Amino acid sequence: YKYTYYKCRNINYAAENYLTKGFFNKYKIYGINRSQIKFSDGKTAVIQIEGISKKTPRRNVSYNLFLEKNQNQIWKIKKIYKNSN
């Protein structure tokens, strides 16, 4: 747990870890095909992520992730919005 927690200091790792892992994650994807940071001021960030959905039918999905950095410099997901394809 601590290893993953400290690895989430990297914004890309935090986004990938949240979207590709977790048993009850309704936004789960197989892998990230493309990611792009749309905005970041060092404390908050918006990342656009594209990948293939884990749910059937397997489709390309796109999400906007809103992240915030806590006092320990760890990125946390605050909100996820599904983009229309």
Side-chain angles (χ1 to χ4, degrees):
Y1 171 76
K2 277 192 170 190
Y3 177 76
T4 301
Y5 181 78
Y6 286 108
K7 293 265 301 187
C8 284
R9 288 182 177 180
N10 179 319
I11 194 168
N12 292 320
Y13 181 84
E16 181 178 358
N17 185 57
Y18 183 79
L19 288 175
T20 60
K21 296 183 177 29
F23 191 69
F24 297 108
N25 185 355
K26 69 179 184 177
Y27 301 105
K28 196 169 187 177
I29 60 176
Y30 275 113
I32 295 175
N33 294 341
R34 188 172 83 88
S35 69
Q36 182 178 9
I37 297 176
K38 295 289 191 179
F39 169 81
S40 179
D41 65 2
K43 293 207 178 237
T44 57
V46 177
I47 301 178
Q48 184 178 12
I49 302 284
E50 293 178 9
I52 298 174
S53 174
K54 277 260 190 188
K55 295 179 183 176
T56 54
R58 311 250 193 273
R59 294 187 176 145
N60 287 329
V61 291
S62 177
Y63 297 112
N64 279 337
L65 277 66
F66 291 83
L67 299 100
E68 282 186 356
K69 194 183 273 191
N70 68 14
Q71 68 274 11
N72 295 326
Q73 305 301 308
I74 307 297
W75 287 101
K76 297 279 188 174
I77 307 287
K78 289 297 175 187
K79 193 79 173 163
I80 297 179
Y81 292 102
K82 185 174 183 178
N83 296 331
S84 59
N85 291 342

